[in-house]
Amino acid sequence: MRESRLFQILYHLLQHGQATAPKLAEKLEVSVRTIYRDIDALSSAGIPVFTEAGRNGGIHIMEDFVLDRALLSRQEKQEILSALQSLAAVGHDFELGILEKLSGLFQVSSENWFEVDFSRWWEPKRQNNTFSLLKSAILQCKCVKIHYANSCGVLSERIVQPLKLAYKGSAWYLKAYCTMQEGYRIFKLNRILELEPLEEHFEPRSFPEAEESSDAVCTQIVLRFPKELAYRVYDEFDRNYVTQEENGKLLVSAYMPADPWLVSFLLSFGPQVDVIAPAYLKEILAKQGKLIYEKFKA
C-alpha cells in the first residue's frame, strides 16, 4: 500500500512540479505527517525531492529529473508500447522509430497483440493515408483543403483548420473549423474525397465539445426487424435501443438524422424493415422503391 502511495506522490510531482503536504494528504487520504514520512523515504531512495518553507513553499522535485526505467513495471512498459503500436498502425515511421527505441530501453519485446486498420474490407487503405495526413496537419496547426460530400450528396470544396480526430459509431470523424462556413463542423473521413495539406498555419484552439456541431436534426425513428436480421440490427444499433418482442422480432427506437442518408440507410434493408414511426417515412420509402422498380424492371 505504501509503495503505491510513494509512486502516486512521485508521479504527481513529476506532472505538476510541486505540491503541498496538506493537498497530497487530502488526495491520498492520509495524514500530513504520513506525507512527510513518505517524502523522507523518497529522498532516502535517491529521488531528488525537497521541501521549501514560506508563502510559495511546498514539496518540490528537482527540475529536469527523469524517471528511471526501473520504476515502471513490466505491464506499464507494455501498455506504453501498445499505445505506440496503435499509432504506428497508420504506417508512420515516426512512431515505429519511437517504438523500437523504447522497446530497447525498456528491454521488453513489443508484442503485437492487436491490429488497427482504418480501411474497408473491399478497398485499398486510402483512409489510412487520409488519417496520417490529418494527424500531421493537426499537430503542426496547418490548414487543409478538402473535397467533401455531405449527407445530402452535395459536393463542396472547403479549407478547414483541423483540430481533432474522433472515433464514434464505428467511423472516424474530423472535428475542424471551416473557414467557408465560419464555424465548427464535423466531417466524416469516408466522405473526404480529396485532401490537400496547405502551408497556411492557424492558431491552436479547442473544438467546443458542448456544441458537437452537426448539420443534422434528429428525429425519433421506430423500426421493426425479423429475428433473422439480428446480426445486422446489432451491427447498426446499440443494444439499449433494441427490444425483442414475444414473437422474436426486434423493435428499434432511436434518434437519427432525418435526411437523405436515413432514406438510403433504410432502403439498404430492403423489405426486411417495417417503419413504425414517423409515418411520412413510409411514403418516402414507397416512392423511392417505385423509382427503383421502374429503373430496373425488364
Side-chain angles (χ1 to χ4, degrees), residues 265-276:
F265 173 72
L266 294 177
L267 285 173
S268 70
F269 290 96
Q272 294 182 297
V273 58
D274 290 327
V275 177
I276 310 302

Side-chain angles (χ1 to χ4, degrees), residues 23-37:
K23 285 291 185 182
L24 287 174
E26 180 182 358
K27 176 182 176 68
L28 300 175
E29 300 180 347
V30 295
S31 68
V32 172
R33 181 177 296 180
T34 297
I35 292 297
Y36 280 120
R37 284 201 297 264

Side-chain angles (χ1 to χ4, degrees), residues 1-235:
M1 179 66 180
R2 188 191 186 199
E3 181 181 345
S4 174
R5 192 172 65 247
L6 291 176
F7 275 113
Q8 290 183 62
I9 293 173
L10 179 55
Y11 291 147
H12 182 89
L13 293 174
L14 284 171
Q15 183 177 7
H16 301 284
Q18 64 86 33
T20 65
K23 285 291 185 182
L24 287 174
E26 180 182 358
K27 176 182 176 68
L28 300 175
E29 300 180 347
V30 295
S31 68
V32 172
R33 181 177 296 180
T34 297
I35 292 297
Y36 280 120
R37 284 201 297 264
D38 289 342
I39 296 302
D40 288 339
L42 287 171
S43 181
S44 300
I47 306 298
V49 294
F50 58 93
T51 60
E52 284 186 347
R55 184 177 179 181
N56 297 319
I59 302 168
H60 300 261
I61 190 165
M62 185 181 293
E63 190 175 352
D64 298 328
F65 172 72
V66 178
L67 187 64
D68 190 270
R69 66 181 183 184
L71 295 178
L72 294 171
S73 69
R74 180 180 177 83
Q75 181 178 351
E76 289 170 331
K77 294 174 185 177
Q78 191 61 60
E79 286 176 354
I80 292 172
L81 295 177
S82 296
L84 286 173
Q85 279 180 346
S86 66
L87 293 176
V90 299
H92 236 270
D93 293 337
F94 179 71
E95 286 81 11
L96 289 172
I98 295 177
L99 195 60
E100 292 175 358
K101 290 178 181 178
L102 284 182
S103 294
L105 177 65
F106 291 163
Q107 295 182 345
V108 175
S109 63
S110 176
E111 299 173 4
N112 193 9
W113 59 274
F114 69 99
E115 178 181 350
V116 178
D117 189 345
F118 303 130
S119 64
R120 299 184 181 97
W121 285 103
W122 60 89
E123 69 174 14
K125 299 183 179 182
R126 180 185 66 84
Q127 196 177 91
N128 282 7
N129 186 52
T130 299
F131 185 96
S132 181
L133 291 174
L134 286 173
K135 183 195 70 175
S136 297
I138 292 170
L139 295 177
Q140 297 175 34
C141 294
K142 287 187 176 182
C143 296
V144 295
K145 181 191 294 184
I146 63 173
H147 291 263
Y148 189 71
N150 68 14
S151 59
C152 296
V154 178
L155 302 178
S156 62
E157 180 180 283
R158 310 187 187 201
I159 293 178
V160 303
Q161 299 172 358
L163 304 177
K164 181 185 292 187
L165 286 162
Y167 186 81
K168 187 173 183 178
S170 72
W172 280 98
Y173 295 85
L174 171 67
K175 294 185 175 183
Y177 181 83
C178 178
T179 59
M180 184 177 76
Q181 299 291 336
E182 296 186 346
Y184 296 94
R185 294 292 185 271
I186 300 177
F187 303 97
K188 193 171 185 179
L189 256 62
N190 282 341
R191 297 178 188 161
I192 297 178
L193 308 181
E194 295 181 24
L195 187 149
E196 178 186 347
L198 304 176
E199 291 301 318
E200 178 185 349
H201 284 82
F202 61 89
E203 288 296 321
R205 66 173 85 188
S206 298
F207 189 89
E209 303 296 343
E211 293 184 12
E212 286 295 331
S213 306
S214 176
D215 298 330
V217 176
C218 292
T219 302
Q220 186 177 22
I221 310 297
V222 182
L223 311 167
R224 181 177 284 116
F225 299 91
K227 59 183 179 181
E228 292 78 16
L229 217 64
Y231 73 95
R232 175 135 187 236
V233 170
Y234 289 112
D235 273 350

Side-chain angles (χ1 to χ4, degrees), residues 263 267 279-289:
V263 175
L267 285 173
Y280 70 83
L281 266 182
K282 295 182 180 181
E283 298 180 12
I284 295 175
L285 291 172
K287 290 179 181 179
Q288 290 295 316

